[in-house]
Amino acid sequence: MIGLVAALSLALPQVEIPQLPPITRDPQVTFLDRSGTVIGVRGGRYAPPVDIAKLPPYVPAAFVAIEDKRFYEHNGYDLAGMARAVLADVASGSAREGASTITQQLAKNLFLSSERSLERKGTELIYAVELEQTYSKPQILGLYLSRVYFGAGAYGIEAASERYFGVSAAHLTVREAAMLAALMKSPTDYNPAENPDRSAERTALVLQAMVETGSITPAQQAKALASSPKVYKSAPDAASQYFVDWVDATFKTMGPPKIDLVVETTLDARDEAAADIAAKETIDRFAKANVEQAALVALDGQGRVRAMVGGGDYAKSSFNRAVSAQRQAGSSWKPFVYLTALEAGRTPDTPVVDQPVTIDGWSPSNFEPEYLGPITLQEALVKSINTVAASLADEVGRPNVARTAQRLGIVTPINTDPAMALGTSLVTPLEMAQAYDAFSNGGNRVAAYGIERIRTVQSGRVLWTHPAPITPAAIGNPALGELDQMLRQVVAAGTGVKAAIPGYDIAGKTGTTSDFRDAWFCGFSGDFTTVVWMGRDDNSPMRGITGGSAPAEFWKSFMRVALKRRAATPIPPGPPAPAPVAPIPAAPPMLPATNDVAPTI
């Protein structure tokens, strides 16, 4: 070592012997679904050092075999390799040669930039020697495996294992370990998701090196070469990132983390996977009709978010349409109108007339050109008759309809012009899910939430627990039972028939806005509500997409999977009349009247 340092001193007179800096990293926050599955990590880029003892021996051996065969023998540098590199670099006047050991790579990753210079290379070597004197080989290898970049945004072997194979590093196969080790040469060129052929070639070299170092037997090599691991084109938890972004924003309001934390959430990863598949398949199926995006929010009866889809592809757009896209609700707004009327004394059998009507100079039209004449209130909702909804809102008072919507969970400003009855106010899918959840759970107002508990990683100490959900009664009977029965008929014989699922008590309402710019289906079974929206980010029209077409099919595709995992719970009837009703808040802010009327179904 003395001779090497002396040689470096001659070649690199500017290099001073530095002290080993402290090894630091920013805290990480790990998000879990309700069953304990990791669905996302936020905060610091790097995970805690890997515990080598908890990995199969062939996992770290793969990296040693291809990156640094003499790792367990040297003191931080490979003398022969370094000598070749130094001579070549001095001759060329720049640092171009490799020959870095794993310890040197770690030193560069921890303390240095990517600058190519003789001075930087010399500092790297000195740090590597000091690392070897300070830490054990397993500790160095664990630090290395927690810091190296594997491409596709994955830093550290744990993140890479989940990204490419959907498993923990502790469950990697021999071939999967070799595939990850192959990425060290170039995370881009040997990415198994993007360049499978080049990845296979490099993986074969890693496996051969593992045989040569005695890490695996030729039989294990042959078995690994014959295997075909499933490689994910995109991260298995990609869809959950919309939800993780949402709860992370909530978490950040509590203050920046100073230690590694675990956030236990309400999300159900299996429901989330079903929602993501349903969204992608429906978007693809209706792409020719100009469908571009979809969003979904699923809540249980107490407001816990079980699934959230914020768009068709998180990798292409992380904008969460489920919580941030304010769109016109169309006829999915009408239950607030009808509920207000039922609470004012009308019944599903109350006679009404579908006929031309003008309110304050505005004349609504129906989706179908003909008028039905005398019908019942229930038939008007089932067939989504616009003239009746507009007249009804005018009769019971549009400010009262606005108060009803706000009482149930609508928080954005509500306009009270005549067209508000047809859903011209802007809302988010999350708001609509909150409001419709009261229809599904016996009439109780919910506040949607996604975080159950926050605890420390090191000790498991619970720092925060979500209080028991407060769900005050918000709808009394007979209005609740009557409205639910009317919404059942929407699915059984009205505009929502494509959402029907045999064997389950299903109710809901379609919504379509002017020029087919927005399409909704808001539906529920007992204690489980799902709201879906489909449209385009630029608000341009789709071609003939109504709430009863693509959204109803999207809703059904998800719900028939989600409901299979639950008991077939009927929609609860709610409390007997008269039920306590939550206090009605002050009237929501008024917005200017809009001419963008939503002729909806």
Side-chain angles (χ1 to χ4, degrees):
M1 180 63 194
I2 296 175
L4 182 59
V5 172
L8 282 171
S9 298
L10 291 173
L12 309 170
Q14 301 92 331
V15 173
E16 297 181 0
I17 305 300
Q19 294 298 311
L20 190 68
I23 298 174
T24 62
R25 65 180 187 85
D26 293 331
Q28 282 192 337
V29 180
T30 301
F31 294 87
L32 308 180
D33 90 323
R34 64 192 300 251
S35 67
T37 301
V38 176
I39 56 173
V41 178
R42 295 292 186 271
R45 173 179 291 176
Y46 304 114
V50 174
D51 186 346
I52 298 299
K54 293 183 179 180
L55 297 178
Y58 54 76
V59 174
F63 292 83
V64 171
I66 197 65
E67 290 294 300
D68 187 1
K69 287 184 173 66
R70 297 183 59 250
F71 173 71
Y72 290 103
E73 302 167 16
H74 62 62
N75 294 318
Y77 60 93
D78 183 337
L79 189 57
M82 281 299 300
R84 286 195 306 270
V86 168
L87 291 174
D89 289 346
V90 170
S92 66
S94 63
R96 296 181 179 178
E97 292 294 315
S100 291
T101 64
I102 282 177
T103 314
Q104 288 175 265
Q105 293 179 49
L106 177 61
K108 175 185 173 183
N109 190 298
L110 289 173
F111 310 123
L112 303 169
S113 69
S114 298
E115 175 194 3
R116 288 177 175 269
S117 70
L118 296 174
E119 291 83 1
R120 203 275 299 157
K121 194 70 175 179
T123 305
E124 174 191 295
L125 175 61
I126 293 168
Y127 280 154
V129 172
E130 293 190 23
L131 282 170
E132 291 277 350
Q133 293 173 347
T134 307
Y135 300 97
S136 67
K137 290 288 187 179
Q139 287 176 318
I140 291 172
L141 193 52
L143 268 170
Y144 170 79
L145 290 177
S146 71
R147 297 263 175 163
V148 290
Y149 183 57
F150 289 86
Y155 288 85
I157 193 169
E158 191 63 41
S161 299
E162 294 286 352
R163 165 60 186 85
Y164 292 112
F165 308 117
V167 300
S168 167
H171 298 107
L172 288 169
T173 65
V174 172
R175 184 181 179 99
E176 289 167 346
M179 291 169 74
L180 293 183
L183 284 164
M184 296 300 94
K185 186 174 179 64
S186 172
T188 300
D189 293 340
Y190 300 104
N191 183 318
E194 301 297 332
N195 297 301
D197 292 339
R198 298 196 68 180
S199 171
E201 292 174 3
R202 182 70 179 171
T203 298
L205 292 177
V206 176
L207 290 169
Q208 180 58 37
M210 293 175 74
V211 172
E212 293 170 358
T213 56
S215 305
I216 60 173
T217 65
Q220 288 176 300
Q221 176 191 27
K223 182 179 179 181
L225 287 170
S227 65
S228 299
K230 175 179 174 57
V231 178
Y232 290 90
K233 280 284 187 181
S234 59
D237 63 0
S240 302
Q241 300 317 297
Y242 290 111
F243 173 82
V244 173
D245 285 348
W246 177 59
V247 292
D248 184 47
T250 300
F251 170 80
K252 286 178 178 176
T253 64
M254 302 178 185
K258 298 180 180 179
I259 56 175
D260 292 332
L261 297 174
V262 171
V263 175
E264 300 174 4
T265 76
T266 62
L267 194 77
D268 187 311
R270 288 184 288 180
D271 283 351
E272 181 73 358
D276 183 50
I277 291 170
K280 285 181 167 58
E281 289 180 347
T282 309
I283 291 173
D284 288 345
R285 191 161 63 250
F286 290 92
K288 291 183 179 179
N290 223 27
V291 172
E292 177 194 56
Q293 290 293 349
L296 175 149
V297 177
L299 306 179
D300 70 8
Q302 292 189 306
R304 300 180 186 91
V305 176
R306 298 305 194 195
M308 177 182 285
V309 173
D313 190 335
Y314 182 85
K316 292 181 179 178
S317 171
S318 61
F319 177 65
N320 191 340
R321 297 152 189 85
V323 301
S324 300
Q326 295 183 344
R327 310 289 296 226
Q328 288 189 342
S331 282
S332 62
W333 183 267
K334 287 177 182 174
F336 307 138
V337 176
Y338 282 78
L339 177 59
T340 306
L342 293 170
E343 290 179 336
R346 289 159 179 79
T347 72
D349 294 326
T350 295
V352 292
V353 180
D354 175 21
Q355 60 186 354
V357 61
T358 298
I359 304 171
D360 295 344
W362 169 69
S363 301
S365 60
N366 293 326
F367 187 77
E368 299 294 341
E370 70 275 5
Y371 295 97
L372 301 179
I375 54 176
T376 65
L377 205 65
Q378 175 167 302
E379 187 176 0
L381 180 59
V382 169
K383 294 183 178 179
S384 204
I385 303 300
N386 288 336
T387 58
V388 172
S391 297
L392 197 61
D394 191 51
E395 291 171 15
V396 301
R398 293 185 295 276
N400 291 327
V401 174
R403 293 187 186 99
T404 296
Q406 189 180 58
R407 186 208 322 161
L408 297 184
I410 301 300
V411 297
T412 49
I414 301 170
N415 74 67
T416 54
D417 66 6
M420 71 89 73
L422 307 187
T424 56
S425 292
L426 302 179
V427 292
T428 67
L430 182 63
E431 288 178 89
M432 293 296 281
Q434 282 185 155
Y436 269 72
D437 215 24
F439 304 151
S440 82
N441 68 10
N444 301 314
R445 161 71 186 265
V446 305
Y449 71 96
I451 298 177
E452 292 282 18
R453 293 200 310 169
I454 301 172
R455 56 181 168 84
T456 64
V457 170
Q458 189 169 7
S459 67
R461 182 165 64 94
V462 176
L463 303 178
W464 183 87
T465 299
H466 192 284
I470 299 174
T471 54
I475 312 174
N477 271 319
L480 173 63
E482 291 171 340
L483 180 66
D484 280 349
Q485 182 55 34
M486 294 165 75
L487 293 175
R488 284 186 181 98
Q489 287 303 305
V490 170
V491 176
T495 58
V497 291
K498 289 186 178 180
I501 303 175
Y504 292 92
D505 189 8
I506 301 294
K509 185 68 187 76
T510 57
T512 315
T513 65
S514 58
D515 298 325
F516 307 104
R517 297 175 190 274
D518 302 278
W520 300 73
F521 188 81
C522 307
F524 52 94
S525 186
D527 287 319
F528 197 73
T529 299
T530 297
V531 165
V532 303
W533 165 89
M534 303 189 80
R536 296 182 60 82
D537 286 338
D538 62 4
N539 203 36
S540 61
M542 297 177 287
R543 287 196 282 272
I545 297 297
T546 66
S549 60
E553 293 185 29
F554 174 19
W555 187 92
K556 181 176 181 177
S557 295
F558 165 69
M559 285 290 276
R560 65 185 177 190
V561 175
L563 291 179
K564 282 181 180 179
R565 302 179 50 233
R566 295 166 171 82
T569 305
I571 299 168
V581 176
I584 298 176
M590 302 295 182
L591 291 182
T594 174
N595 292 322
D596 191 4
V597 180
T600 65
I601 62 172

